[in-house]
Amino acid sequence: PIGHQFPAASRKAAALSAIIAEYKSKNEIRLSPNMTFLNAVNYVLASDEFKALAESTGAVHRVTLLRISRSIGAHKLSALTYDIVNDNFLEVWEPLGKYMKAHFKKAGLFLYNVLLKRGLRLFNPFLLIKVQSIYAPNNKANRGKWKHSQVMHFLDVAYSNAQYFNIGLITHMA
């Protein structure tokens, strides 16, 4: 009968749960301002927030955070200042272009947001990093107002095809 083995199985499960809990408590990274940047990165990479990211975003954040850790990983979070982060940004990331600079800032902000959600109140030096938007237009031809003839041509094209009729109507009303 199955019911007779239940108390023994329950005691065995409780003992195994205690062993697992003890192992987790010994190997768990404790959040503190004195932890190094590298430990914070490892903590965040193991977090549920990181696991919830889209696969491509998670991959980019993982590579970016580990690359940042190469140069500033030994610094304690409490001693990590804007000057240290900005020096790393200018030396390593500036030459790589605006896309990599944007990844640098996004990954750093993500790291500090996870730490903030977990109760660690620290100044986020990545907030002050200035990067150009990767979506900003590079040429001045795209900036400025359209001429009347350009608008009329756009509306003619939009109204001539039923697929674009809503776009033409919205543009016309604006």
Side-chain angles (χ1 to χ4, degrees):
I2 296 175
H4 295 292
Q5 298 171 352
F6 183 73
S10 181
R11 283 191 299 275
K12 184 81 167 174
L16 290 174
S17 293
I19 292 170
I20 291 170
E22 181 182 347
Y23 174 80
K24 282 183 177 178
S25 68
K26 285 181 182 177
N27 295 319
E28 185 179 23
I29 298 174
R30 306 264 189 239
L31 280 180
S32 82
N34 292 327
M35 71 189 308
T36 63
F37 185 82
L38 181 60
N39 284 344
V41 167
N42 290 332
Y43 179 85
V44 168
L45 293 180
S47 71
D48 292 333
E49 289 91 342
F50 185 80
K51 292 174 185 169
L53 291 174
E55 187 177 340
S56 60
T57 305
V60 170
H61 279 4
R62 170 178 273 116
V63 169
T64 306
L65 287 171
L66 292 174
R67 185 152 183 199
I68 295 169
S69 297
R70 287 186 205 160
S71 54
I72 61 174
H75 287 81
K76 295 191 182 298
L77 289 177
S78 58
L80 198 57
T81 63
Y82 167 74
D83 292 332
I84 295 169
V85 172
N86 193 46
D87 288 347
N88 175 259
F89 176 73
L90 294 175
E91 289 173 17
V92 178
W93 297 87
E94 185 76 31
L96 298 178
K98 66 182 177 180
Y99 292 101
M100 293 306 292
K101 292 189 298 187
H103 290 313
F104 174 87
K105 183 168 182 169
K106 286 180 190 176
L109 290 174
F110 177 78
L111 174 101
Y112 273 86
N113 285 338
V114 171
L115 296 177
L116 181 66
K117 285 180 187 175
R118 301 292 171 95
L120 195 58
R121 306 282 187 243
L122 292 169
F123 166 71
N124 185 346
F126 291 88
L127 281 173
L128 301 175
I129 298 293
K130 301 277 189 248
V131 294
Q132 179 187 4
S133 170
I134 57 175
Y135 303 108
N138 291 330
N139 58 12
K140 294 186 180 181
N142 292 336
R143 300 179 188 172
K145 295 184 178 181
W146 284 14
K147 296 177 185 167
H148 186 305
S149 61
Q150 291 173 316
V151 173
M152 296 308 289
H153 178 56
F154 177 81
L155 291 173
D156 288 342
V157 172
Y159 282 129
S160 67
N161 188 340
Q163 183 179 356
Y164 303 117
F165 183 79
N166 288 339
I167 296 171
L169 188 60
I170 292 168
T171 306
H172 198 153
M173 300 191 83

